[in-house]
Amino acid sequence: MATPSLGKLDRPLLLALLALLAFGVFSIASATMEEGGKPWKTQVLWIAIAGALAVVVYTIDYRVWAGIATLLHGIVIALLGATLFLGTEVGGNRSWLDFGPARLQPSELAKWTTCLVVAVYLARRSRETLGLVQLAVLGLIVGLPVALIAMQPDHGTALIFGPIYLAAVLIGGVRWRWMVGLLLVALALTPVAWQQLKPYQKERILNVLEPGRDPSGTGYQTRQSKIAIGSGGIVGKGPFRGTQSQLNFLPAQHTDFILAVVAEELGFVGTGALIVAFWMLLYRGIKIAGDAQDRLGTYLCLLVVAWLVGQMTINIGMVLGRLPTIGVPLPFVSYGGSALVASLCGVALLLNVRAHRLVN
Amino acid sequence: MDYRERWELKDYLIGQRLERRVRLLHVLVAVLCSLFLLDFWYLQGVHGDDYAALAEDNRLRRLPLKPTRGVIRDRHGEVIAATRPSLDLRLLRDDRHDKEPQLERLAGILGRPVEELQERLESMRRRPLYEPLVLVEDVDLALVAQIEARREDFPSIDVAEAARRYYPRGDGFSHVVGYVGEVSEKQLADSDGTLHSGDIVGKAGVEKAYDAPVRGDRGWRLVTVNNLGRPIGRAEVAEAPRHGDDVALTIDAALQEELAAAFGEEAGAGVFLDPESGEVLAILSRPGYDPNLFADGISRADWQGIVSDPRRPMHDRAIASFYAPGSIFKVVMAIAALEEGLVDGESENYCPGHASFYGRRRLCWKRGGHGDVAVREAIAKSCNVYFYRLGKELGIETIHDYGERFGLGRTTRIDLPAEEAGILPSHEWKRRQLREIWYPGDTISVAIGQGYLTVTPLQMVRMIAVIANGGSRVTPHVVAGRARPSEPSGFRPEHVEFVRGGLADAVRLGTATRAALDGISVAGKTGTAQVHSRSATEDSDDLPKPLRSHAWFVGFAPVDKPQIAFAVIVEHGGHGGSSAAPIARRVLERFFDQQQPDEPERPPSDARAAVEAPDGDAVAR
């Protein structure tokens, strides 16, 4: 087993990652300037911690991680269960476990372990396509954390497991009739799901279909977000000079709506660079998936990429007002330690797979 | 195919699919990122300017700079209405402190129920959040000290300086100067955007009539606010306010106060003006009200007290109450008869004390009759029979025409709001308003100022000023420099002279001797406006007060070169000679004392109260 080294690191991917982290630290500093500007230091600290953990993830062969995947997933599920009883409530969601100075969000770690376990399961199965049993097992692997997270109730985070499951099904291979069946079931359940939605959630969905129907009420966040983005223009209002963000018109501006801060202060130049950085990171991730030395590596990379693509799409779509407002952070950029740990460790898996790829 | 081959085939297929999935994911990411780039470009590149404007709209707030209301002074520069600084307690709503305990503590200090404060806040619920709400107006320094001493107990309450209207001279000026208050919804709607919610505007009197110049214009400043509306950083003045203009009245404050004092507790009205220019020197309506009550936002109890007062203190009787003119209308009748050639100065007419018209017997107030009287004596003694006959001969249409030439039946166009026109009846009027035909008997009543005829005190002073100034209608005004040219009435000077003589005689030896002054000749005419039909023998003065007639006294002085003309009406005052004339005399004394300040004040003479005569209206119907 070859030891990974710095020389085997994927430079474009690392560069894109560093750019995204830098966007994050800068925007958090700007968005929280009024409160004394402490969060950006915390974010830097978390980047350091997450970076250290990512190095560990990178250094140990991904096949070793695959060996203990089920154990890790079990631990995280246990943590999720504990969170429901021992967790700390923030903003109506009981999603955090307090460990002295640090606060852990097991739901973020669950994304990472889920990718790992699903990849292992897909790699070890003996059938060419997924049957009902396989779909059910996959559903169990993904569904267990989802159920626990939904009970917190953190619907935004729970939603991110959707793309992971979808990716698992698509790359695992499924007969068309199952595919169609799944779609029909999903379609049939839509009205039921709509009934289950809380009134504010329905409002948020309606606001997407008909922008401007309630600009000062349920549509306030989206409207202010669009004003922040649009008013940034081509080159932005300048760092720390966004009126929407500095005067607090933007809600959740250092977490879920961080992109609006980037957009307002750095303009299209900033948002363009950020999207290109994401693109680069994802492009390299997919490329690594294709070059992996074994199926496990490929599955693993594709799942991590699917997770990141899903989370990025939901967040950016929300900030742009194209998708309903859902509390989902932008990977690498939004404020939040656990999310950083999970996503950086996710990227570490990509790099890990690349370091072990077939050369020549 | 053995197991190994089958697995290799499967493996091959899986590999194939994975390659396809990798390509698919590449495409998906490319499509998504391109869409995001396009959308950002759409918002930032294409619509950047629109959103920039919206962001500025969010950020910048126009805060008003209120102008200071102009000062209202009398003709000698005495301050009648001014603006003074005062301190208000306000509630700031954009912080996180709990308001309820603060309100309760404040209510405790004020010694008022907390519900009163809450009610008040409720009424201002719709004001924007950044605007502090005024809890208590015009607090004294002791209270401010109490609040400041417990500053930490009142984190959301601040003390702000505010401009407050005040009327140092009390209720004597209430109707002419009026009062101010917060602009009403209707005024806001009618103002075409010149008024704003919360503006203080004139609600009555000069404050209302001259509101726009006295109020001034708002300025505004631009201030950056945060999402809660709290101003961040310094405000810049975008446009300075235009402060209100000062106003000089034609009113003489001393005379006005003398008039108010002379009225005492009586209800009624009095107007004194310069018969040449139309400058109003004093104009009073009783009872009055304290305009200062309104300046602080009147309390509900005070408002109810004023509105439900049966004496209607808010009503301006001087310009908007209808009274029958009674005998003072004989001035119009006399001029009409002279002008029409019905009588001349010499022609006499015999008054037996009664006469019959159209089958109805009418009495003169003097039981035994006045004997032979000419026009001058008929005025002085207020002989009813004489004027009944004139009325019969002139007819209502001619009387109407002459009434018009004295300015009756329409407003005087004084520069005060809410003036009324009274009623100058005619065939046409009765047909339109009452849908009845005019009976000849109606004319007989009008001939002595009763019946359908009604006037305002202001119309009466203008009527008498026509005699005083030799025949022209002035336009009364209360603000200096608002004189309009007088309108000639076209009466022949000698006819005016006859009436002037009659009016002088009335004061010298007729019905109005109580108005006589030492050294100054006064011309005048008493009148009685009936409020109660009664038998001919009853004397109004013996009736309970609410049933007594209103007492008129109109006139001018000095007789030869009039400087002041007046009309006074005392509601339920009985005879004009006994209640209205002394009021007029007191004001005239003050007026002429001011004219010759060096002369020592003359002691009032007992002699002139000795002769008394009814004013001719006691048996009018």
Side-chain angles (χ1 to χ4, degrees):
Chain A
M1 204 182 289
T3 313
S5 72
L6 279 177
K8 292 179 175 171
L9 281 171
D10 190 301
R11 276 161 205 256
L13 192 155
L14 263 189
L15 207 66
L17 176 65
L18 287 176
L20 291 172
L21 291 172
F23 269 121
V25 172
F26 152 75
S27 318
I28 291 164
S30 173
T32 59
M33 196 164 66
E34 211 192 346
E35 291 112 79
K38 203 171 137 249
W40 73 268
K41 291 178 192 160
T42 314
Q43 181 81 345
V44 170
L45 186 67
W46 272 112
I47 289 174
I49 294 171
L53 289 170
V55 167
V56 173
V57 170
Y58 172 69
T59 317
I60 301 173
D61 193 317
Y62 65 91
R63 280 155 295 195
V64 175
W65 287 112
I68 58 167
T70 317
L71 177 67
L72 290 175
H73 199 51
I75 293 173
V76 169
I77 288 172
L79 283 175
L80 281 171
T83 310
L84 284 180
F85 299 102
L86 310 171
T88 310
E89 199 172 305
V90 178
N93 289 345
R94 193 182 284 273
S95 310
W96 283 271
L97 275 178
D98 268 330
F99 290 100
R103 192 180 266 178
L104 192 69
Q105 202 179 347
S107 52
E108 289 291 339
L109 306 184
K111 296 173 188 169
W112 190 80
T113 58
T114 303
C115 288
L116 204 57
V117 175
V118 168
V120 170
Y121 181 78
L122 288 177
R124 287 194 186 151
R125 80 221 149 95
S126 52
R127 293 182 49 162
E128 184 226 329
T129 56
L130 301 172
L132 253 190
V133 178
Q134 282 82 8
L135 285 176
V137 172
L138 279 176
L140 201 68
I141 295 171
V142 179
L144 218 55
V146 167
L148 291 168
I149 293 167
M151 280 162 76
Q152 291 178 347
D154 183 354
H155 297 112
T157 307
L159 198 67
I160 299 306
F161 289 81
I164 299 176
Y165 184 73
L166 193 68
V169 171
L170 280 177
I171 60 182
V174 69
R175 295 199 184 284
W176 279 112
R177 58 170 184 262
W178 291 124
M179 200 65 175
V180 172
L182 269 179
L183 270 174
L184 284 178
V185 168
L187 217 63
L189 284 177
T190 308
V192 181
W194 177 257
Q195 289 301 315
Q196 292 302 308
L197 288 176
K198 301 229 165 53
Y200 77 91
Q201 293 170 322
K202 295 183 186 174
E203 289 289 326
R204 286 173 173 182
I205 293 172
L206 292 175
N207 284 338
V208 171
L209 302 175
E210 190 192 334
R213 61 188 280 274
D214 187 11
S216 54
T218 53
Y220 177 81
Q221 283 189 325
T222 305
R223 178 178 161 78
Q224 294 303 335
S225 174
K226 283 173 82 171
I227 291 176
I229 295 167
S231 66
I234 309 281
V235 294
K237 296 175 186 172
F240 304 97
R241 297 186 63 184
T243 56
Q244 288 285 98
S245 47
Q246 300 303 334
L247 299 170
N248 275 326
F249 285 102
L250 269 177
Q253 48 183 307
H254 68 296
T255 55
D256 299 347
F257 280 88
I258 189 96
L259 185 52
V261 179
V262 176
E264 183 183 24
E265 301 194 343
L266 303 179
F268 184 72
V269 174
T271 48
L274 186 135
I275 299 293
V276 167
F278 263 113
W279 195 345
M280 174 62 74
L281 188 144
L282 296 168
Y283 175 82
R284 295 306 297 181
I286 300 165
K287 184 130 180 58
I288 292 168
D291 295 345
Q293 67 159 319
D294 57 6
R295 293 277 148 78
L296 176 66
T298 306
Y299 289 137
L300 202 49
C301 291
L302 289 180
L303 287 167
V304 169
V305 168
W307 153 29
L308 293 177
V309 169
Q311 189 163 339
M312 174 190 90
T313 304
I314 291 175
N315 180 279
I316 299 181
M318 163 186 82
V319 169
L320 284 168
R322 301 293 181 190
L323 290 175
T325 306
I326 300 160
V328 170
L330 186 60
F332 316 115
V333 184
S334 285
Y335 177 77
S338 300
L340 269 178
V341 170
S343 54
L344 284 193
C345 289
V347 172
L349 284 179
L350 298 178
L351 294 171
N352 194 329
V353 171
R354 178 181 150 89
H356 295 95
R357 78 188 193 278
L358 295 169
V359 193
N360 305 326
Chain B
M1 253 190 326
D2 63 6
Y3 169 79
R4 193 182 161 77
E5 282 174 333
R6 274 168 61 193
W7 172 243
E8 279 181 350
L9 177 64
K10 274 189 199 169
D11 197 48
Y12 171 76
L13 290 173
I14 290 176
Q16 288 279 301
R17 181 169 58 239
L18 276 182
E19 270 179 36
R20 287 203 302 276
R21 294 293 179 262
V22 165
R23 281 201 300 274
L24 181 71
L25 203 52
H26 270 306
V27 172
L28 180 74
V29 167
V31 167
L32 277 174
C33 287
S34 304
L35 280 178
F36 288 149
L37 282 175
L38 274 175
D39 212 4
F40 276 115
W41 176 251
Y42 177 74
L43 285 179
Q44 302 189 285
V46 180
H47 288 294
D49 291 343
D50 305 342
Y51 283 108
L54 287 174
E56 286 297 276
D57 237 29
N58 266 347
R59 173 177 82 87
L60 288 176
R61 189 145 287 155
R62 282 166 60 130
L63 294 185
L65 291 168
K66 291 188 179 172
T68 305
R69 237 179 137 75
V71 176
I72 299 177
R73 296 191 170 85
D74 87 336
R75 65 188 297 122
H76 302 303
E78 297 287 332
V79 173
I80 310 293
T83 300
R84 69 178 163 84
S86 72
L87 297 173
D88 289 348
L89 291 185
R90 305 187 306 176
L91 182 73
L92 309 174
R93 294 176 298 165
D94 52 355
D95 55 19
R96 291 179 182 86
H97 302 286
D98 194 4
K99 311 287 185 297
E100 276 312 306
Q102 300 183 51
L103 288 182
E104 274 169 33
R105 281 194 284 269
L106 181 63
I109 291 182
L110 293 168
R112 286 197 233 160
V114 69
E115 290 77 19
E116 203 176 300
L117 296 176
Q118 287 161 339
E119 215 172 275
R120 178 160 189 162
L121 289 178
E122 184 59 24
S123 70
M124 297 185 284
R125 194 164 30 94
R126 291 219 202 98
R127 300 278 179 83
L129 207 55
Y130 62 85
E131 200 176 286
L133 299 182
V134 176
L135 279 173
V136 193
E137 271 129 347
D138 201 12
V139 293
D140 58 27
L141 281 171
L143 187 79
V144 172
Q146 260 179 299
I147 304 270
E148 291 298 335
R150 299 168 57 189
R151 189 75 325 258
E152 67 280 4
D153 285 348
F154 298 105
S156 310
I157 290 176
D158 82 344
V159 180
E161 199 173 295
R164 181 135 287 125
R165 199 65 162 164
Y166 81 116
Y167 303 93
R169 287 179 173 258
D171 80 343
F173 295 83
S174 47
H175 294 96
V176 55
V177 174
Y179 61 96
V180 296
E182 205 166 294
V183 62
S184 68
E185 295 292 328
K186 190 182 174 306
Q187 282 173 303
L188 264 184
D190 294 346
S191 74
D192 300 330
T194 55
L195 287 172
H196 303 81
S197 175
D199 270 355
I200 299 296
V201 297
K203 296 279 192 179
V206 170
E207 293 271 33
K208 183 178 186 182
Y210 291 88
D211 184 56
V214 172
R215 173 162 34 90
D217 294 323
R218 271 191 174 200
W220 42 276
R221 63 204 157 111
L222 282 176
V223 63
T224 299
V225 296
N226 67 6
N227 61 321
L228 298 169
R230 185 185 275 284
I232 306 284
R234 247 159 39 95
E236 46 184 301
V237 173
E239 194 182 320
R242 182 190 71 79
H243 292 299
D245 296 336
D246 290 354
V247 166
L249 302 180
T250 60
I251 304 289
D252 182 329
L255 223 54
Q256 178 82 14
E257 279 171 352
E258 190 70 44
L259 177 58
F263 253 91
E265 291 301 305
E266 298 286 354
V271 188
F272 289 71
L273 56 67
D274 179 334
E276 296 293 335
S277 65
E279 288 180 10
V280 176
L281 300 169
I283 179 165
L284 181 79
S285 175
R286 295 279 90 177
Y289 57 86
D290 182 1
N292 288 307
L293 285 179
F294 297 90
D296 297 351
I298 187 164
S299 77
R300 190 179 296 172
D302 283 338
W303 175 252
Q304 277 305 327
I306 290 180
V307 171
S308 62
D309 188 335
R311 281 156 56 92
R312 297 179 66 205
M314 300 289 288
H315 185 66
D316 191 347
R317 290 163 162 79
I319 63 172
S321 268
F322 291 2
Y323 299 104
S327 290
I328 54 181
F329 190 66
K330 289 169 183 169
V331 170
V332 176
M333 294 297 296
I335 288 286
L338 289 164
E339 289 279 312
E340 292 295 310
L342 222 59
V343 295
D344 59 27
E346 314 300 318
S347 46
E348 290 189 340
N349 210 318
Y350 179 74
C351 166
H354 59 85
S356 269
F357 299 93
Y358 309 111
R360 188 174 155 193
R361 183 178 160 86
R362 302 204 185 227
L363 297 179
C364 196
W365 62 270
K366 192 169 177 183
R367 218 70 57 83
H370 288 98
D372 285 325
V373 287
V375 64
R376 179 169 171 157
E377 198 183 355
I379 292 172
K381 295 188 171 163
S382 203
C383 174
N384 283 351
V385 171
Y386 185 88
F387 286 99
Y388 289 144
R389 289 182 181 143
L390 290 189
K392 184 185 174 194
E393 286 179 55
L394 286 167
I396 188 60
E397 291 307 315
T398 311
I399 295 172
H400 180 268
D401 288 348
Y402 280 89
E404 275 196 328
R405 287 167 77 175
F406 277 98
L408 305 185
R410 56 193 152 103
T411 60
T412 66
R413 294 190 299 150
I414 192 173
D415 47 349
L416 286 174
E419 191 194 0
E420 294 286 349
I423 296 166
L424 181 61
S426 64
H427 286 113
E428 166 80 7
W429 171 85
K430 194 173 177 191
R431 203 184 65 240
R432 266 223 308 267
Q433 297 297 318
L434 304 179
R435 307 203 171 280
E436 276 182 45
I437 58 154
W438 186 267
Y439 297 110
D442 296 338
T443 312
I444 307 304
S445 296
V446 170
I448 57 156
Q450 307 284 0
Y452 297 116
L453 180 66
T454 58
V455 297
T456 66
L458 183 65
Q459 286 176 325
M460 286 298 94
V461 74
R462 180 155 84 146
M463 177 197 80
I464 210 67
V466 172
I467 304 300
N469 65 26
S472 49
R473 280 191 307 276
V474 293
T475 303
H477 53 281
V478 295
V479 168
R482 289 297 170 132
R484 290 206 187 91
S486 304
E487 299 158 352
S489 62
F491 303 141
R492 294 181 60 179
E494 60 267 34
H495 294 159
V496 175
E497 253 344 286
F498 272 124
V499 176
R500 189 200 297 264
L503 294 174
D505 289 349
V507 174
R508 209 146 44 79
L509 36 89
T511 58
T513 50
R514 282 190 169 198
L517 289 178
D518 281 347
I520 306 283
S521 54
V522 179
K525 180 83 200 77
T526 58
T528 304
Q530 289 179 359
V531 291
H532 171 67
S533 320
R534 56 178 183 273
S535 67
T537 50
E538 270 180 315
D539 188 333
S540 173
D541 284 5
D542 298 332
L543 287 166
K545 182 136 187 170
L547 301 180
R548 275 187 226 162
S549 302
H550 302 324
W552 278 109
F553 185 53
V554 303
F556 51 86
V559 172
D560 302 326
K561 200 176 177 341
Q563 295 171 28
I564 185 166
F566 57 86
V568 175
I569 184 164
V570 179
E571 291 189 0
H572 310 297
H575 293 308
S578 50
S579 57
I583 291 173
R585 193 187 73 209
R586 193 166 151 187
V587 177
L588 291 179
E589 268 176 358
R590 178 68 185 244
F591 177 77
F592 288 107
D593 280 350
Q594 282 176 194
Q595 301 291 307
Q596 296 111 6
D598 299 336
E599 272 185 42
E601 207 175 302
R602 292 174 294 270
S605 152
D606 290 334
R608 61 177 173 250
V611 190
E612 244 185 70
D615 47 39
D617 291 313
V619 284
R621 238 165 243 245

